[in-house]
Amino acid sequence: MKLSVAGIAVSALVLGGCTIGQSESETEIAAQQFADALTQRNAQAAADLTSDPAAAKAAISQMFDGLAARDATFVVASTDSDAGTFTLDADWTLGAEPEPEPEAESTTTPTAGTTSATPTAETDSAQTWSYTTTGGGKAVAGGGKIPWDPQLLAPGLTADTTLRYTTLAGGSPQVLDAAGRPLMSEQTVTLVNLDPATIADPAGTAAAVAQLVGPVAPTVTAASLQADLAGAQGKTVTAITLRDADFQPIADRLAAIPGVQLVKQTRLLTADKAMTSPTLDGLRELWQQGQDASAGWAVQLVSANGSAERLAGADGTPQPDIATTLDPAIQGAAQAAIADLPQQAAIVALRPSTGAVLAVAQNPAATAQGPIALTGLYPPGSTFKTVTTSAALQSGSVTPDTVLPCPGSANIEGRTIPNDDNFDLGSVPLHTAFARSCNTTMGALAVALPPTALPHAALQFGLGVDYVTPGLTTVTGSVPPADTPAQRVESAIGQGQVTATPFGMALVAASIAKGSTPAPTLVAGMPGVANTTPAPAPPQVTEQLRTMMRETVTAGTATQLADIADLRGKTGTAEVGDAAAHGWFVGIDGDVAFAVFVAGADSSAPAVDAAGRFLRPIQAQIPR
């Protein structure tokens, strides 16, 4: 029988000495009340039924807090009215609520025991813990209080121990680079925290900490720490998080500074401290998902000295290492190429043959704005002429050798289109107009195209396609239909409503290199899945584009890269209202396709120069 909350209060009076007038014994009533109060997680009601309410309430509250159970049920299994004793069956469901659907119920067997019998226990994938306890005595049979014993709650529990639920990692897999070498691993770090409540001299503490950590983190200064403390409103401030190699030489001196608290943690960190990339956050998330899915669990009996005995649980399942496609040498070259640029800058490099993501780099100015290399949308400017030229070639209206006018400026459908510095080539073949980046030629070509021609050609190169890629969150871009001739003129030169990310333009270059769009891949064997898969551009069109991109380097707008053998590319300058124009360069070098973006560069020159700094150090290792 289970009593209502109101019934608990009535029965409490019975235990206080009132006449029962029922067939149930005092032992049965007391046991049922205690079980019901525990099931309802009413620590006070359960504690009031015992001989030591204060101690009982503290232990019961700690049990529920420490186990943080999804569900707990206590049932009276048996009573002995003569002896005044009873047994309780406890069933716990532990761990976080499963997602997206509840886990199937599993059969359980005991893992912890009674106070008077051999302990039994069992766990399962649903994280259940079942056991039996025994309590009571003659006092209960006479209508008195239940003698308080912590083992009423769980086998082995004493006044000096507590219960704790915890997860158990199945191991610590590494994240590997493209060559199978460690890229990221779980490492110990130390948080150097400053507690304002224990700092009598904020200026002195800030100066002492800054002096020690300055060689590791020059941006952490006495002034910055004082400002952090002043704005913390009494809360603890983390001055810096140190890797073990940086922490150990200064550990003792940091510990001696008043107000410094040193807190150990484990984090997934890069093997090379200098490596930074927007891809790392996605890989950490993927790693953590694997850890969560494979984690074991334990109910622990924790002693006053911190030692723990496992009462129930299951070991975690070891997870395999995560093999990525990132190439540290290419990543390092990309980082170095843009590190010193004052503007936001990014480089994305892919392997056209496989779609492997080789490098994603941003400089500090870009990182402050978020993962712009992967999701930042910008007008692509003249790099979009790869798409415009492809659409024109596919229309059949031109060939690479078709002679077309390239005036310094032209009024096309009411929109005046100038070339850069109004250069005028007269009439030239299309391949020359492409290599020299004639806006007027491209605008005139686009006017004659259907409204959907540019969006269709863009999709053939992956631009506008959405991908779900394990470990990688990306956007490629957007090329809406250009319903009016004026809109087609704007779109033809990568302006108007056309937007692209550095990742999206790298994918365009990779598609031209391969002849079809490769599925972007960051984790080996886990390619991205596209929301649409358009047929690729005709092979002869992509071959013609590759030839024109080579001419851009040898005799066009990127001749400063002519020393890089067989490099193919396209420059781009994109206007952004009254602000300085963005600079772009997309390229193909052997089996590496890439995009360089420099915000507010005012021309493509900084992007082209960065491309050179990126490519020259890695020439020897680029597959041909």
Side-chain angles (χ1 to χ4, degrees):
M1 181 190 77
K2 291 187 177 181
L3 302 179
S4 66
V5 174
I8 292 175
V10 172
S11 297
L13 294 176
V14 174
L15 287 173
C18 297
T19 303
I20 305 170
Q22 300 179 16
S23 60
E24 292 178 302
S25 70
E26 288 89 346
T27 302
E28 291 172 322
I29 294 173
Q32 190 63 59
Q33 286 180 317
F34 191 66
D36 286 348
L38 290 176
T39 298
Q40 294 161 9
R41 305 195 190 195
N42 189 333
Q44 186 65 64
D48 286 344
L49 296 169
T50 73
S51 60
D52 190 347
K57 182 181 179 182
I60 295 168
S61 298
Q62 189 285 317
M63 174 179 70
F64 285 117
D65 291 343
L67 296 181
R70 285 154 46 191
D71 190 31
T73 304
F74 291 79
V75 176
V76 178
S78 65
T79 59
D80 184 334
S81 298
D82 294 332
T85 59
F86 57 87
T87 59
L88 298 179
D89 285 344
D91 292 286
W92 294 81
T93 302
L94 304 164
E97 291 286 346
E99 293 182 358
E101 296 179 353
E103 294 178 349
E105 218 175 300
S106 300
T107 304
T108 63
T109 54
T111 52
T114 69
T115 57
S116 58
T118 304
T120 56
E122 182 181 73
T123 65
D124 65 10
S125 60
Q127 299 190 5
T128 57
W129 180 33
S130 300
Y131 56 83
T132 300
T133 63
T134 298
K138 285 293 185 181
V140 184
K145 299 286 188 177
I146 299 171
W148 169 242
D149 184 341
Q151 291 197 88
L152 280 168
L153 305 180
L157 188 63
T158 69
D160 297 322
T161 57
T162 56
L163 293 171
R164 177 175 68 195
Y165 168 85
T166 188
T167 56
L168 303 174
S172 183
Q174 297 186 101
V175 178
L176 308 177
D177 66 20
R181 296 165 300 202
L183 183 75
M184 305 174 75
S185 62
E186 197 172 25
Q187 300 176 36
T188 300
V189 298
T190 301
L191 277 62
V192 181
N193 290 340
L194 306 181
D195 181 7
T198 61
I199 298 176
D201 178 12
T205 291
V209 172
Q211 183 179 16
L212 289 176
V213 304
V216 177
T219 58
V220 178
T221 65
S224 70
L225 292 178
Q226 286 190 70
D228 291 342
L229 286 168
Q233 298 181 333
K235 297 179 180 179
T236 298
V237 170
T238 298
I240 190 172
T241 300
L242 295 172
R243 294 180 181 229
D244 219 35
D246 295 325
F247 171 69
Q248 289 302 334
I250 58 175
D252 292 341
R253 285 176 288 169
L254 278 172
I257 299 173
V260 169
Q261 298 174 339
L262 303 175
V263 180
K264 294 285 187 182
Q265 289 185 355
T266 57
R267 293 185 182 178
L268 188 67
L269 300 177
T270 54
D272 179 1
K273 186 169 65 172
M275 181 181 177
T276 63
S277 173
T279 61
L280 300 181
D281 288 339
L283 290 171
R284 288 190 180 97
E285 183 177 347
L286 192 66
W287 181 90
Q288 189 60 54
Q289 289 172 356
Q291 291 295 89
D292 293 345
S294 66
W297 63 280
V299 174
Q300 296 174 331
L301 189 66
V302 184
S303 66
N305 65 8
S307 62
E309 172 191 354
R310 189 164 110 177
L311 300 180
D315 292 333
T317 305
Q319 291 292 291
D321 293 335
I322 298 174
T324 76
T325 60
L326 292 173
D327 186 313
I330 295 177
Q331 176 69 34
Q335 286 181 212
I338 57 177
D340 295 332
L341 290 174
Q343 307 97 331
Q344 300 169 32
I347 294 178
V348 177
L350 309 175
R351 192 172 301 289
S353 61
T354 64
V357 177
L358 301 174
V360 179
Q362 296 185 171
N363 66 354
T367 299
Q369 302 301 314
I372 69 165
L374 301 174
T375 60
L377 288 166
Y378 308 93
S382 292
T383 60
F384 190 75
K385 290 172 183 174
T386 52
V387 173
T388 304
T389 302
S390 175
L393 291 170
Q394 290 182 64
S395 73
S397 62
V398 293
T399 71
D401 295 323
T402 300
V403 175
L404 301 167
C406 175
S409 66
N411 188 300
I412 306 173
E413 298 295 330
R415 167 74 158 94
T416 299
I417 299 293
N419 290 331
D420 189 27
D421 291 332
N422 289 290
F423 72 81
D424 188 335
L425 299 182
S427 294
V428 294
L430 173 59
H431 64 81
T432 301
F434 178 94
R436 297 287 297 275
S437 203
C438 289
N439 292 335
T440 51
T441 305
M442 294 296 162
L445 282 175
V447 167
L449 296 174
T452 59
L454 294 179
H456 176 70
L459 287 173
Q460 291 176 322
F461 295 153
L463 195 61
V465 178
D466 289 330
Y467 292 90
V468 177
T469 307
L472 202 64
T473 299
T474 61
V475 176
T476 58
S478 176
V479 184
D483 294 325
T484 68
Q487 289 175 339
R488 289 195 285 280
V489 171
E490 294 280 355
S491 295
I493 57 174
Q495 300 281 175
Q497 293 182 299
V498 175
T499 58
T501 64
F503 171 81
M505 291 312 300
L507 196 61
V508 169
S511 302
I512 295 170
K514 183 179 181 180
S516 61
T517 303
T521 304
L522 179 62
V523 178
M526 301 175 71
V529 177
N531 67 334
T532 183
T533 52
Q540 69 272 22
V541 169
T542 50
E543 177 58 35
Q544 289 164 348
L545 282 175
R546 289 193 290 269
T547 300
M548 286 187 268
M549 291 174 73
R550 179 60 185 154
E551 185 179 345
T552 299
V553 176
T554 59
T557 55
T559 53
Q560 58 263 59
L561 302 177
D563 61 298
I564 301 176
D566 205 36
L567 173 65
R568 298 152 198 273
K570 183 70 191 78
T571 57
T573 303
E575 296 178 359
V576 281
D578 295 332
H582 299 325
W584 289 86
F585 183 76
V586 300
I588 304 166
D589 188 8
D591 202 16
V592 174
F594 62 94
V596 182
F597 169 76
V598 182
D602 209 27
S603 75
S604 64
V608 175
D609 290 340
R613 293 193 298 271
F614 164 56
L615 292 173
R616 291 183 181 103
I618 59 172
Q619 278 293 290
Q621 63 188 77
I622 295 177
R624 303 292 170 182

